[in-house]
Amino acid sequence: MQLQNLGLLNLAQVDLSGIKAERLTSQSSGHDDYGKVIYRQIHDIRFPLKDGREVCVVTDSKSLDTECSIGTVDVYVVSRMIDGSRP
């Protein structure tokens, strides 16, 4: 929703069957008030567009074993990927 609200993405443009999400890391970052472990998770998410382009983001969020997300999710739009495997 953040991408759509900023005008960077319109769901009508997205090939929903091709969305890819990969967890890059998940690490313990403390405990909540009830003693449950809080995890910090970083994900690489790719939204293929119907015109052949792709919108890539990296998200930073916190979660619990019982909740997939707690608090806000920071979203970083990747404007250029430099990984050696793409021209």
Side-chain angles (χ1 to χ4, degrees):
M1 285 308 299
Q2 290 180 20
L3 295 174
Q4 187 164 300
N5 291 342
L6 290 172
L8 298 174
L9 190 68
N10 180 333
L11 285 180
Q13 300 171 315
V14 178
D15 173 7
L16 298 176
S17 67
I19 296 173
K20 295 178 185 171
E22 178 182 358
R23 185 172 55 212
L24 301 176
T25 187
S26 179
Q27 63 188 84
S28 172
S29 65
H31 293 81
D32 70 4
D33 294 338
Y34 304 101
K36 294 182 180 178
V37 177
I38 297 173
Y39 297 95
R40 179 178 182 205
Q41 296 187 337
I42 308 294
H43 286 85
D44 174 16
I45 306 173
R46 296 166 186 256
F47 300 91
L49 304 182
K50 293 175 182 174
D51 67 5
R53 294 179 299 131
E54 184 176 61
V55 175
C56 301
V57 300
V58 173
T59 62
D60 182 351
S61 62
K62 292 182 179 171
S63 68
L64 301 171
D65 286 333
T66 56
E67 295 287 334
C68 63
S69 181
I70 58 173
T72 60
V73 177
D74 294 326
V75 179
Y76 303 91
V77 178
V78 178
S79 62
R80 184 172 175 200
M81 182 75 67
I82 303 172
D83 66 359
S85 65
R86 297 182 189 188

Coordinates of all heavy atoms in Angstrom, one line a residue:
M1 N 0.8 -1.2 0.0 CA 0.0 0.0 0.0 C 0.9 1.3 0.0 O 0.5 2.2 -0.6 CB -0.9 0.0 1.2 CG -2.1 -1.0 1.1 SD -3.1 -0.8 -0.4 CE -3.7 0.9 -0.3
Q2 N 2.0 1.2 0.7 CA 2.9 2.4 0.7 C 3.3 2.8 -0.7 O 3.3 4.0 -1.0 CB 4.1 2.1 1.6 CG 3.8 2.1 3.1 CD 5.0 1.8 3.9 OE1 6.2 2.1 3.5 NE2 4.9 1.3 5.1
L3 N 3.6 1.8 -1.5 CA 4.1 2.1 -2.9 C 2.9 2.7 -3.7 O 3.1 3.6 -4.5 CB 4.6 0.8 -3.5 CG 5.9 0.2 -2.9 CD1 6.2 -1.1 -3.6 CD2 7.0 1.2 -3.0
Q4 N 1.8 2.1 -3.5 CA 0.6 2.6 -4.3 C 0.2 4.0 -3.8 O 0.0 4.9 -4.6 CB -0.6 1.7 -4.1 CG -1.8 2.1 -5.0 CD -2.8 0.9 -5.1 OE1 -2.4 -0.1 -5.6 NE2 -4.0 1.2 -4.7
N5 N 0.3 4.3 -2.5 CA -0.1 5.6 -2.0 C 0.9 6.7 -2.5 O 0.5 7.8 -2.6 CB -0.1 5.6 -0.4 CG -1.2 4.8 0.1 OD1 -2.2 4.5 -0.6 ND2 -1.1 4.4 1.4
L6 N 2.2 6.3 -2.7 CA 3.2 7.3 -3.2 C 3.1 7.4 -4.7 O 3.9 8.2 -5.3 CB 4.6 6.8 -2.8 CG 4.8 7.0 -1.3 CD1 6.2 6.3 -0.9 CD2 4.8 8.4 -0.9
G7 N 2.3 6.6 -5.4 CA 2.2 6.6 -6.9 C 3.3 5.9 -7.6 O 3.6 6.1 -8.8
L8 N 4.1 5.0 -6.8 CA 5.2 4.3 -7.4 C 4.7 3.0 -8.0 O 5.4 2.3 -8.8 CB 6.2 4.0 -6.4 CG 6.9 5.2 -5.8 CD1 7.8 4.8 -4.6 CD2 7.7 5.9 -6.8
L9 N 3.5 2.5 -7.7 CA 3.0 1.2 -8.1 C 1.5 1.3 -8.2 O 0.9 1.9 -7.3 CB 3.4 0.2 -7.1 CG 3.2 -1.3 -7.5 CD1 4.1 -1.7 -8.6 CD2 3.6 -2.1 -6.2
N10 N 0.9 0.7 -9.2 CA -0.5 0.6 -9.3 C -0.8 -0.9 -9.4 O -0.3 -1.6 -10.3 CB -1.1 1.3 -10.5 CG -2.5 1.2 -10.7 OD1 -3.2 0.3 -10.2 ND2 -3.1 2.2 -11.3
L11 N -1.6 -1.5 -8.5 CA -1.9 -2.9 -8.5 C -2.4 -3.4 -9.8 O -2.1 -4.6 -10.2 CB -2.8 -3.3 -7.4 CG -2.2 -3.3 -6.0 CD1 -3.2 -3.7 -4.9 CD2 -1.0 -4.2 -5.9
A12 N -3.1 -2.6 -10.6 CA -3.6 -3.0 -11.9 C -2.4 -3.3 -12.9 O -2.6 -4.0 -13.8 CB -4.5 -2.0 -12.5
Q13 N -1.2 -2.7 -12.6 CA -0.1 -2.9 -13.4 C 0.7 -4.1 -13.1 O 1.6 -4.6 -13.8 CB 0.9 -1.7 -13.3 CG 0.3 -0.4 -13.7 CD 1.3 0.7 -13.3 OE1 1.8 0.8 -12.3 NE2 1.5 1.7 -14.3
V14 N 0.5 -4.7 -11.9 CA 1.3 -5.8 -11.4 C 0.9 -7.1 -11.8 O -0.3 -7.4 -11.8 CB 1.4 -5.7 -9.8 CG1 2.2 -6.9 -9.3 CG2 1.9 -4.4 -9.3
D15 N 1.8 -8.0 -12.3 CA 1.6 -9.4 -12.6 C 1.6 -10.1 -11.2 O 2.6 -10.5 -10.7 CB 2.6 -9.9 -13.5 CG 2.5 -11.4 -13.7 OD1 1.5 -12.0 -13.3 OD2 3.4 -12.0 -14.4
L16 N 0.4 -10.2 -10.6 CA 0.3 -10.8 -9.2 C 0.9 -12.2 -9.1 O 1.4 -12.6 -8.1 CB -1.1 -10.8 -8.8 CG -1.7 -9.4 -8.7 CD1 -3.2 -9.5 -8.3 CD2 -1.0 -8.5 -7.7
S17 N 0.9 -13.0 -10.2 CA 1.4 -14.3 -10.1 C 2.9 -14.4 -10.1 O 3.5 -15.4 -9.8 CB 0.9 -15.2 -11.3 OG 1.4 -14.7 -12.5
G18 N 3.6 -13.3 -10.4 CA 5.0 -13.3 -10.5 C 5.7 -12.6 -9.3 O 6.9 -12.5 -9.3
I19 N 4.9 -12.1 -8.3 CA 5.6 -11.4 -7.2 C 6.5 -12.4 -6.4 O 6.1 -13.6 -6.2 CB 4.5 -10.9 -6.2 CG1 3.7 -9.8 -6.9 CG2 5.1 -10.3 -4.9 CD1 2.5 -9.3 -6.1
K20 N 7.7 -12.0 -6.1 CA 8.6 -12.8 -5.4 C 9.1 -12.1 -4.1 O 9.4 -10.9 -4.1 CB 9.9 -13.1 -6.2 CG 9.6 -13.9 -7.5 CD 10.8 -14.1 -8.3 CE 10.4 -14.8 -9.6 NZ 11.5 -14.9 -10.5
A21 N 9.0 -12.8 -3.0 CA 9.5 -12.3 -1.7 C 10.5 -13.3 -1.2 O 10.3 -14.5 -1.1 CB 8.3 -12.1 -0.8
E22 N 11.7 -12.7 -0.8 CA 12.7 -13.6 -0.2 C 13.2 -13.0 1.1 O 13.6 -11.8 1.1 CB 13.9 -13.7 -1.2 CG 15.1 -14.5 -0.7 CD 16.3 -14.5 -1.6 OE1 16.2 -13.9 -2.7 OE2 17.3 -15.1 -1.2
R23 N 13.2 -13.7 2.1 CA 13.7 -13.2 3.4 C 15.2 -13.3 3.4 O 15.8 -14.3 3.1 CB 13.2 -14.1 4.6 CG 13.6 -13.5 5.9 CD 13.0 -14.1 7.1 NE 13.2 -15.6 7.1 CZ 12.4 -16.5 7.6 NH1 11.2 -16.1 8.1 NH2 12.7 -17.7 7.5
L24 N 15.8 -12.1 3.5 CA 17.3 -12.1 3.5 C 17.9 -12.4 4.9 O 18.9 -13.0 4.9 CB 17.7 -10.7 3.0 CG 17.2 -10.2 1.7 CD1 17.6 -8.8 1.4 CD2 17.7 -11.2 0.6
T25 N 17.2 -12.0 5.9 CA 17.7 -12.3 7.3 C 16.6 -12.1 8.3 O 15.6 -11.4 8.1 CB 18.9 -11.3 7.7 OG1 19.4 -11.8 8.9 CG2 18.4 -9.9 7.8
S26 N 16.7 -12.9 9.3 CA 15.8 -12.8 10.5 C 16.7 -13.0 11.7 O 17.3 -14.1 11.8 CB 14.7 -13.9 10.4 OG 13.8 -13.8 11.5
Q27 N 16.7 -12.0 12.6 CA 17.5 -12.2 13.8 C 16.8 -11.7 15.0 O 15.9 -10.8 14.9 CB 18.8 -11.5 13.6 CG 18.7 -10.0 13.5 CD 20.0 -9.3 13.1 OE1 20.4 -9.3 11.9 NE2 20.7 -8.8 14.1
S28 N 17.0 -12.3 16.1 CA 16.4 -11.9 17.4 C 16.9 -10.5 17.7 O 18.1 -10.2 17.6 CB 16.8 -12.9 18.5 OG 16.4 -12.4 19.7
S29 N 16.0 -9.6 18.2 CA 16.3 -8.3 18.5 C 15.8 -7.9 19.9 O 15.5 -6.7 20.1 CB 15.9 -7.3 17.4 OG 14.5 -7.3 17.3
G30 N 15.5 -8.8 20.7 CA 15.0 -8.5 22.1 C 13.7 -9.2 22.4 O 13.4 -10.2 21.7
H31 N 13.1 -8.8 23.4 CA 11.8 -9.4 23.9 C 10.8 -8.3 24.1 O 11.1 -7.2 24.4 CB 12.0 -10.1 25.2 CG 12.9 -11.3 25.1 ND1 14.3 -11.2 25.0 CD2 12.6 -12.6 24.9 CE1 14.8 -12.4 24.9 NE2 13.8 -13.3 24.8
D32 N 9.5 -8.7 23.9 CA 8.4 -7.8 24.1 C 8.1 -7.8 25.6 O 8.7 -8.4 26.4 CB 7.2 -8.1 23.2 CG 6.5 -9.4 23.6 OD1 6.8 -10.0 24.6 OD2 5.5 -9.7 22.9
D33 N 7.0 -7.0 26.0 CA 6.7 -6.9 27.4 C 6.2 -8.2 28.0 O 6.2 -8.4 29.3 CB 5.6 -5.9 27.6 CG 6.0 -4.5 27.2 OD1 7.3 -4.2 27.3 OD2 5.2 -3.6 26.9
Y34 N 5.9 -9.2 27.2 CA 5.4 -10.5 27.7 C 6.5 -11.6 27.6 O 6.2 -12.8 27.8 CB 4.1 -10.9 26.9 CG 3.1 -9.9 27.0 CD1 2.8 -9.0 25.9 CD2 2.3 -9.7 28.1 CE1 1.9 -8.0 26.0 CE2 1.3 -8.8 28.2 CZ 1.1 -7.9 27.1 OH 0.1 -6.9 27.2
G35 N 7.7 -11.2 27.2 CA 8.8 -12.2 27.2 C 8.9 -12.9 25.8 O 9.8 -13.7 25.7
K36 N 8.1 -12.5 24.9 CA 8.2 -13.2 23.5 C 9.4 -12.5 22.8 O 9.6 -11.3 22.8 CB 6.9 -13.0 22.7 CG 5.7 -13.7 23.3 CD 4.5 -13.6 22.5 CE 3.3 -14.3 23.1 NZ 2.1 -14.1 22.3
V37 N 10.0 -13.4 22.0 CA 11.2 -12.9 21.2 C 10.7 -12.1 20.0 O 9.8 -12.4 19.3 CB 12.0 -14.1 20.7 CG1 13.1 -13.6 19.8 CG2 12.5 -15.0 21.8
I38 N 11.3 -10.9 19.9 CA 11.0 -10.0 18.7 C 12.1 -10.3 17.7 O 13.3 -10.3 18.0 CB 11.1 -8.5 19.2 CG1 10.0 -8.2 20.2 CG2 10.9 -7.6 17.9 CD1 10.1 -6.8 20.8
Y39 N 11.7 -10.5 16.5 CA 12.6 -10.7 15.4 C 12.7 -9.5 14.4 O 11.6 -8.9 14.1 CB 12.2 -11.9 14.5 CG 12.3 -13.2 15.3 CD1 11.1 -13.7 16.0 CD2 13.5 -13.9 15.5 CE1 11.2 -14.8 16.7 CE2 13.5 -15.1 16.2 CZ 12.4 -15.5 16.8 OH 12.4 -16.7 17.6
R40 N 13.8 -9.1 14.0 CA 14.0 -8.1 12.9 C 14.1 -8.9 11.6 O 15.0 -9.8 11.5 CB 15.2 -7.2 13.2 CG 15.3 -6.2 12.1 CD 16.5 -5.3 12.3 NE 16.6 -4.3 11.3 CZ 17.7 -3.7 11.0 NH1 18.8 -3.9 11.7 NH2 17.8 -2.8 10.0
Q41 N 13.3 -8.6 10.6 CA 13.3 -9.3 9.4 C 13.6 -8.3 8.2 O 13.0 -7.3 8.2 CB 12.1 -10.1 9.1 CG 11.8 -11.2 10.2 CD 10.7 -12.1 9.8 OE1 9.7 -11.7 9.1 NE2 10.7 -13.3 10.4
I42 N 14.4 -8.8 7.3 CA 14.7 -8.0 6.1 C 14.3 -8.9 4.9 O 14.7 -10.0 4.8 CB 16.2 -7.6 6.0 CG1 16.8 -7.0 7.2 CG2 16.5 -6.8 4.7 CD1 16.2 -5.6 7.6
H43 N 13.4 -8.3 4.0 CA 12.9 -9.0 2.9 C 13.3 -8.3 1.6 O 13.2 -7.0 1.5 CB 11.4 -9.2 2.9 CG 11.0 -10.2 3.9 ND1 10.8 -9.9 5.2 CD2 10.7 -11.5 3.8 CE1 10.3 -11.0 5.9 NE2 10.3 -12.0 5.0
D44 N 13.6 -9.0 0.5 CA 13.7 -8.5 -0.8 C 12.4 -8.9 -1.5 O 12.1 -10.1 -1.6 CB 14.9 -9.2 -1.5 CG 15.0 -8.8 -3.0 OD1 14.4 -7.9 -3.4 OD2 15.8 -9.5 -3.7
I45 N 11.6 -7.9 -2.0 CA 10.4 -8.1 -2.7 C 10.4 -7.5 -4.1 O 10.8 -6.4 -4.2 CB 9.2 -7.6 -1.9 CG1 9.2 -8.1 -0.4 CG2 7.9 -7.9 -2.5 CD1 8.2 -7.5 0.5
R46 N 10.0 -8.3 -5.0 CA 10.0 -7.9 -6.4 C 8.6 -8.0 -7.0 O 7.9 -9.0 -6.9 CB 11.0 -8.7 -7.3 CG 12.4 -8.5 -6.8 CD 13.3 -9.6 -7.3 NE 14.6 -9.4 -6.7 CZ 15.7 -8.8 -7.3 NH1 15.6 -8.4 -8.5 NH2 16.8 -8.7 -6.7
F47 N 8.2 -6.9 -7.6 CA 6.8 -6.8 -8.2 C 7.0 -6.7 -9.7 O 7.4 -5.6 -10.2 CB 6.1 -5.5 -7.7 CG 5.9 -5.5 -6.2 CD1 6.8 -4.9 -5.4 CD2 4.7 -6.1 -5.7 CE1 6.6 -4.9 -4.0 CE2 4.5 -6.1 -4.3 CZ 5.4 -5.5 -3.5
P48 N 6.8 -7.7 -10.5 CA 6.9 -7.7 -11.9 C 5.7 -6.9 -12.5 O 4.5 -7.2 -12.1 CB 6.9 -9.1 -12.4 CG 6.2 -9.8 -11.3 CD 6.4 -9.1 -10.0
L49 N 5.9 -6.0 -13.4 CA 4.8 -5.2 -14.0 C 4.5 -5.9 -15.4 O 5.3 -6.5 -16.0 CB 5.2 -3.8 -14.2 CG 5.7 -3.0 -12.9 CD1 6.0 -1.6 -13.3 CD2 4.6 -3.1 -11.9
K50 N 3.3 -5.7 -15.8 CA 2.8 -6.3 -17.0 C 3.5 -5.8 -18.2 O 3.5 -6.4 -19.3 CB 1.3 -6.1 -17.1 CG 0.5 -6.8 -16.1 CD -1.0 -6.5 -16.1 CE -1.7 -7.3 -15.0 NZ -3.1 -6.9 -14.9
D51 N 4.2 -4.6 -18.1 CA 4.9 -4.1 -19.3 C 6.3 -4.5 -19.3 O 7.1 -4.1 -20.1 CB 4.8 -2.5 -19.3 CG 5.6 -1.9 -18.1 OD1 6.2 -2.6 -17.3 OD2 5.5 -0.7 -18.0
G52 N 6.7 -5.5 -18.4 CA 8.1 -6.0 -18.4 C 9.0 -5.4 -17.4 O 10.1 -6.0 -17.2
R53 N 8.7 -4.3 -16.9 CA 9.5 -3.6 -15.9 C 9.3 -4.4 -14.5 O 8.4 -5.2 -14.4 CB 9.2 -2.2 -15.7 CG 9.6 -1.3 -17.0 CD 9.2 0.1 -16.8 NE 7.8 0.3 -16.6 CZ 7.2 1.0 -15.6 NH1 8.0 1.7 -14.7 NH2 5.9 1.1 -15.4
E54 N 10.1 -4.0 -13.6 CA 10.0 -4.6 -12.2 C 10.3 -3.5 -11.2 O 11.2 -2.7 -11.3 CB 11.1 -5.7 -12.1 CG 11.0 -6.5 -10.8 CD 12.0 -7.7 -10.8 OE1 13.2 -7.4 -10.9 OE2 11.5 -8.8 -10.7
V55 N 9.5 -3.5 -10.1 CA 9.7 -2.7 -9.0 C 10.3 -3.5 -7.9 O 9.7 -4.5 -7.5 CB 8.4 -2.0 -8.5 CG1 8.6 -1.2 -7.3 CG2 7.8 -1.1 -9.7
C56 N 11.4 -3.1 -7.4 CA 12.1 -3.9 -6.3 C 12.2 -3.1 -5.0 O 12.5 -1.9 -5.1 CB 13.5 -4.2 -6.7 SG 13.6 -5.2 -8.3
V57 N 11.9 -3.7 -3.9 CA 12.0 -3.0 -2.6 C 12.6 -3.9 -1.6 O 12.7 -5.2 -1.8 CB 10.6 -2.6 -2.1 CG1 9.9 -1.7 -3.0 CG2 9.7 -3.8 -1.8
V58 N 13.2 -3.3 -0.6 CA 13.7 -4.1 0.6 C 12.9 -3.6 1.7 O 12.7 -2.3 1.9 CB 15.2 -3.8 0.8 CG1 15.7 -4.4 2.1 CG2 16.0 -4.3 -0.4
T59 N 12.4 -4.5 2.5 CA 11.6 -4.1 3.7 C 12.3 -4.5 5.0 O 13.0 -5.5 5.0 CB 10.2 -4.8 3.7 OG1 10.3 -6.2 3.8 CG2 9.4 -4.4 2.5
D60 N 12.1 -3.7 6.0 CA 12.7 -3.9 7.3 C 11.5 -3.9 8.3 O 10.8 -2.8 8.4 CB 13.7 -2.8 7.6 CG 14.4 -2.9 9.0 OD1 14.0 -3.8 9.8 OD2 15.3 -2.2 9.2
S61 N 11.3 -5.0 9.0 CA 10.1 -5.1 9.9 C 10.4 -5.9 11.1 O 11.4 -6.6 11.2 CB 8.9 -5.6 9.2 OG 9.2 -7.0 8.8
K62 N 9.6 -5.8 12.1 CA 9.7 -6.6 13.3 C 8.5 -7.6 13.4 O 7.4 -7.2 12.9 CB 9.8 -5.7 14.5 CG 11.0 -4.9 14.6 CD 11.1 -4.1 15.8 CE 12.4 -3.3 15.8 NZ 12.5 -2.3 16.8
S63 N 8.8 -8.8 13.9 CA 7.7 -9.8 14.0 C 7.9 -10.6 15.3 O 8.9 -10.5 16.0 CB 7.7 -10.7 12.8 OG 8.9 -11.5 12.8
L64 N 6.9 -11.3 15.6 CA 6.9 -12.3 16.7 C 6.6 -13.7 16.1 O 6.2 -13.8 15.0 CB 5.8 -12.0 17.8 CG 5.9 -10.7 18.5 CD1 4.6 -10.5 19.3 CD2 7.1 -10.6 19.4
D65 N 6.8 -14.7 16.9 CA 6.5 -16.1 16.4 C 5.0 -16.2 16.1 O 4.6 -16.9 15.2 CB 6.8 -17.1 17.5 CG 8.3 -17.4 17.6 OD1 9.0 -17.2 16.6 OD2 8.7 -17.8 18.7
T66 N 4.2 -15.4 16.8 CA 2.7 -15.4 16.6 C 2.1 -14.3 15.8 O 1.0 -14.3 15.5 CB 2.0 -15.4 18.0 OG1 2.5 -14.2 18.7 CG2 2.4 -16.6 18.8
E67 N 3.0 -13.3 15.4 CA 2.5 -12.2 14.6 C 3.5 -12.0 13.4 O 4.7 -11.9 13.7 CB 2.4 -10.9 15.4 CG 1.4 -10.9 16.5 CD 0.0 -10.8 15.9 OE1 -0.2 -10.3 14.8 OE2 -0.9 -11.3 16.6
C68 N 3.0 -11.9 12.2 CA 3.9 -11.7 11.1 C 4.5 -10.3 11.0 O 5.6 -10.1 10.4 CB 3.2 -12.1 9.8 SG 1.8 -11.0 9.4
S69 N 3.9 -9.3 11.6 CA 4.4 -8.0 11.6 C 3.9 -7.2 12.8 O 2.7 -7.3 13.1 CB 4.0 -7.3 10.3 OG 4.6 -6.0 10.3
I70 N 4.8 -6.6 13.5 CA 4.4 -5.7 14.6 C 5.0 -4.3 14.3 O 6.2 -4.2 13.9 CB 4.8 -6.2 16.0 CG1 6.3 -6.4 16.1 CG2 4.1 -7.5 16.3 CD1 6.9 -6.8 17.4
G71 N 4.3 -3.3 14.5 CA 4.8 -1.9 14.3 C 4.8 -1.6 12.8 O 4.1 -2.2 12.0
T72 N 5.5 -0.6 12.5 CA 5.6 -0.1 11.1 C 6.6 -1.0 10.3 O 7.5 -1.7 10.8 CB 6.0 1.3 11.0 OG1 7.3 1.5 11.6 CG2 5.0 2.2 11.8
V73 N 6.4 -0.9 9.0 CA 7.4 -1.6 8.1 C 8.1 -0.5 7.3 O 7.4 0.4 6.6 CB 6.6 -2.5 7.1 CG1 7.6 -3.1 6.1 CG2 5.9 -3.6 7.9
D74 N 9.4 -0.5 7.3 CA 10.2 0.5 6.5 C 10.4 -0.2 5.1 O 10.7 -1.3 5.0 CB 11.5 0.7 7.2 CG 11.4 1.4 8.5 OD1 10.5 2.3 8.7 OD2 12.2 1.2 9.4
V75 N 10.1 0.6 4.1 CA 10.2 0.2 2.7 C 11.2 1.0 2.0 O 11.1 2.2 2.0 CB 8.8 0.2 2.0 CG1 9.0 -0.2 0.6 CG2 7.8 -0.6 2.7
Y76 N 12.2 0.4 1.4 CA 13.3 1.0 0.6 C 13.1 0.6 -0.8 O 13.2 -0.6 -1.1 CB 14.6 0.7 1.2 CG 14.8 1.0 2.6 CD1 14.5 0.0 3.6 CD2 15.2 2.2 3.1 CE1 14.6 0.3 5.0 CE2 15.4 2.5 4.4 CZ 15.1 1.6 5.3 OH 15.2 1.8 6.7
V77 N 12.9 1.6 -1.7 CA 12.8 1.3 -3.1 C 14.2 1.2 -3.7 O 15.0 2.1 -3.5 CB 12.0 2.4 -3.9 CG1 11.9 2.1 -5.4 CG2 10.6 2.5 -3.3
V78 N 14.5 0.1 -4.4 CA 15.8 -0.1 -5.0 C 15.7 0.4 -6.4 O 15.0 -0.1 -7.3 CB 16.1 -1.6 -5.0 CG1 17.5 -1.9 -5.7 CG2 16.1 -2.2 -3.6
S79 N 16.5 1.4 -6.7 CA 16.5 2.0 -8.0 C 17.4 1.4 -9.0 O 17.2 1.4 -10.2 CB 16.8 3.5 -8.0 OG 18.1 3.7 -7.5
R80 N 18.5 0.7 -8.5 CA 19.4 0.0 -9.4 C 20.0 -1.1 -8.6 O 20.5 -0.9 -7.5 CB 20.5 1.0 -9.8 CG 21.4 0.4 -10.8 CD 22.3 1.4 -11.4 NE 23.3 0.8 -12.2 CZ 24.4 1.4 -12.6 NH1 24.8 2.6 -12.2 NH2 25.3 0.7 -13.4
M81 N 20.1 -2.3 -9.2 CA 20.7 -3.5 -8.5 C 22.1 -3.7 -9.1 O 22.2 -3.7 -10.3 CB 19.8 -4.7 -8.8 CG 20.3 -6.0 -8.2 SD 20.0 -6.0 -6.4 CE 18.3 -6.1 -6.3
I82 N 23.0 -3.8 -8.3 CA 24.4 -4.0 -8.7 C 24.9 -5.3 -8.0 O 25.3 -5.3 -6.9 CB 25.4 -2.9 -8.3 CG1 24.8 -1.6 -8.9 CG2 26.8 -3.2 -8.8 CD1 25.6 -0.3 -8.4
D83 N 24.7 -6.4 -8.7 CA 25.0 -7.7 -8.1 C 25.9 -8.6 -9.0 O 26.2 -9.7 -8.7 CB 23.7 -8.5 -7.7 CG 22.9 -8.9 -8.9 OD1 23.3 -8.6 -10.1 OD2 21.9 -9.5 -8.7
G84 N 26.3 -8.1 -10.2 CA 27.2 -8.8 -11.0 C 26.6 -9.8 -12.0 O 27.2 -10.2 -12.9
S85 N 25.3 -10.2 -11.7 CA 24.7 -11.2 -12.6 C 23.8 -10.6 -13.6 O 23.3 -11.3 -14.5 CB 23.9 -12.2 -11.7 OG 22.8 -11.6 -11.1
R86 N 23.6 -9.3 -13.6 CA 22.7 -8.6 -14.6 C 23.5 -7.5 -15.3 O 24.4 -6.9 -14.7 CB 21.6 -7.9 -13.9 CG 20.7 -8.9 -13.1 CD 19.5 -8.2 -12.5 NE 18.8 -9.1 -11.6 CZ 17.7 -8.8 -11.1 NH1 17.1 -7.7 -11.3 NH2 17.1 -9.7 -10.3
P87 N 23.2 -7.3 -16.5 CA 23.9 -6.3 -17.3 C 23.6 -4.9 -16.8 O 22.6 -4.6 -16.2 CB 23.4 -6.4 -18.7 CG 22.2 -7.4 -18.7 CD 22.3 -8.0 -17.3

